[in-house]
Amino acid sequence: MRIGELSERTGTSRRLLRYYEEQGLIIACRAANGYREYEESTVDRVLQVRGLLDAGLPTRIIKQILPCLDKPRTIYFEDATPEMLATLEHELERMTDRIRCLARNRDAIAEYLDAVRSTRA
């Protein structure tokens, strides 16, 4: 698929997709006319990258852990510095806290909706 379709399917601007490519987070092949061509799997990869960026991970860490997210899983240990491990542990804790907060908010909204629906019935 071309960059425009990838942009539409992921909700990611073309400019940001080019940036992801520059950072080595996604890979594009070049067609004979020079246009970028992406594999179908790139859609999931872009969504993974966006999720990790939204969670606060820097692109240098994302680049190192992306291979761990592939199937079959390929894990590279040679680049795992103590600093990177500490960063990942911190981010894991932060994500866990965020998930708990989101779950509480989801449950509160669900209760509110149930209460509103029951009073209307």
Side-chain angles (χ1 to χ4, degrees):
M1 85 188 75
R2 301 229 307 262
I3 195 167
E5 182 180 350
L6 183 60
S7 175
E8 285 181 31
R9 291 181 60 188
T10 62
T12 305
S13 72
R14 294 173 190 206
R15 182 176 180 216
L16 199 49
L17 292 172
R18 286 187 209 96
Y19 173 74
Y20 291 170
E21 186 180 346
E22 284 176 20
Q23 297 299 307
L25 302 175
I26 62 174
I27 298 170
C29 298
R30 294 290 180 157
N33 59 8
Y35 290 167
R36 287 174 171 85
E37 293 284 337
Y38 297 95
E39 294 182 11
E40 183 68 27
S41 61
T42 308
V43 172
D44 289 333
R45 173 57 55 101
V46 169
L47 296 175
Q48 282 180 321
V49 167
R50 288 184 56 151
L52 292 168
L53 286 168
D54 287 346
L57 288 175
T59 55
R60 68 178 172 75
I61 299 291
I62 293 171
K63 185 176 179 179
Q64 291 178 340
I65 65 170
L66 276 176
C68 302
L69 304 177
D70 287 339
K71 294 191 182 20
R73 293 179 187 263
T74 305
I75 301 176
Y76 300 96
F77 292 102
E78 60 269 5
D79 292 341
T81 64
E83 294 80 17
M84 184 183 92
L85 295 175
T87 298
L88 289 174
E89 287 171 358
H90 172 74
E91 292 304 325
L92 181 61
E93 289 172 17
R94 210 168 66 78
M95 286 180 206
T96 301
D97 291 343
R98 189 170 176 203
I99 289 168
R100 281 190 204 112
C101 180
L102 287 169
R104 281 193 311 269
N105 290 342
R106 180 203 57 214
D107 294 345
I109 290 170
E111 286 179 32
Y112 176 77
L113 283 171
D114 287 344
V116 169
R117 288 180 181 138
S118 67
T119 57
R120 289 186 173 183

